[in-house]
């Protein structure tokens, strides 16, 4: 899984976005109890200028395309609710303290592109590719809570095994 996510993320192999989008929809379909009450499904955004592509947005766009019955509260392509307009330090291969600092910087660069009233009391499913320390998801969840979300749940494609 790691290799496939890296192919999408760093090489821009877009076919993996389609597969990961299908996996996301499949998870949501098979876990209706976990989707109950979710008002927005959003990707943990990548910088708008990221090269070779904004991989999380590509996954979310593929999920939207796969959800032909519009069962889930996904944003249409090009209208993502959570955006990141500034580049921040990357946390890959960094020690834990650096990951925490990068997570805080990432969250500070994230904004809600929709109406903030949509967040008041909302339940958000925040989707990301890989969980290592959890710092980025934690900081983004805190930001969404500060905007007014009542509950933020995380869903990741893969989790890096904990190493001492």
């Amino acid at each position: 899984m790691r290799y496939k996510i890296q192919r999408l993320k760093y090489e821009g192999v877009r076919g993996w976005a389609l597969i990961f989008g299908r996996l996301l929809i499949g998870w949501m379909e098979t876990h209706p109890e976990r989707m109950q009450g979710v008002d927005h499904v959003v990707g943990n955004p990548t910088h708008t200028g990221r090269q070779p592509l904004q991989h999380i947005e590509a996954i979310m766009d593929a999920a939207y395309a796969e959800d032909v019955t519009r069962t889930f509260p996904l944003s249409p392509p090009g209208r993502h609710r959570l955006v990141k307009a500034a580049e921040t330090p990357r946390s890959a291969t960094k020690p834990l303290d650096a990951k925490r600092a990068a997570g805080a910087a990432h969250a500070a660069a994230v904004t809600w592109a929709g109406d903030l009233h949509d967040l008041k009391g909302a339940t958000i499913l925040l989707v990301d590719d890989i969980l290592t320390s959890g710092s980025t998801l934690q900081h983004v969840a805190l930001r969404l809570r500060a905007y007014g979300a009542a509950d933020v749940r995380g869903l990741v494609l893969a989790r890096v095994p904990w190493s001492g």
Side-chain angles (χ1 to χ4, degrees), residues 2 19 32 52 62 76 113 131:
R2 176 183 181 180
I19 291 167
L131 177 82

Side-chain angles (χ1 to χ4, degrees), residues 18-141:
L18 177 62
I19 291 167
F20 295 143
R22 287 180 178 169
L23 285 172
L24 175 58
I25 294 296
W27 184 90
M28 291 190 291
E29 288 174 342
T30 58
H31 294 84
E33 73 286 355
R34 304 260 178 132
M35 291 303 298
Q36 191 170 11
V38 171
D39 299 298
H40 305 284
V41 178
V42 298
N44 187 14
T46 49
H47 177 247
T48 54
R50 180 167 182 139
Q51 295 299 321
L53 79 156
Q54 289 180 272
H55 65 288
I56 297 297
E57 289 76 3
I59 292 167
M60 300 308 293
D61 290 351
Y64 182 88
E66 189 69 18
D67 182 22
V68 295
T69 59
R70 299 294 167 252
T71 303
F72 304 107
L74 295 155
S75 299
R79 294 187 18 217
H80 299 279
R81 291 182 185 104
L82 206 54
V83 296
K84 181 180 175 191
E87 185 63 67
T88 58
R90 294 188 180 178
S91 64
T93 72
K94 303 285 193 245
L96 185 56
D97 286 344
K99 285 183 180 301
R100 287 182 178 145
H106 171 84
V110 167
T111 57
W112 185 258
D115 186 344
L116 284 177
H117 288 27
D118 291 342
L119 273 178
K120 296 293 181 196
T123 296
I124 310 295
L125 179 64
L126 179 61
V127 178
D128 209 350
D129 56 352
I130 298 176
L131 177 82
T132 52
S133 69
S135 289
T136 301
L137 280 179
Q138 179 184 24
H139 285 287
V140 173

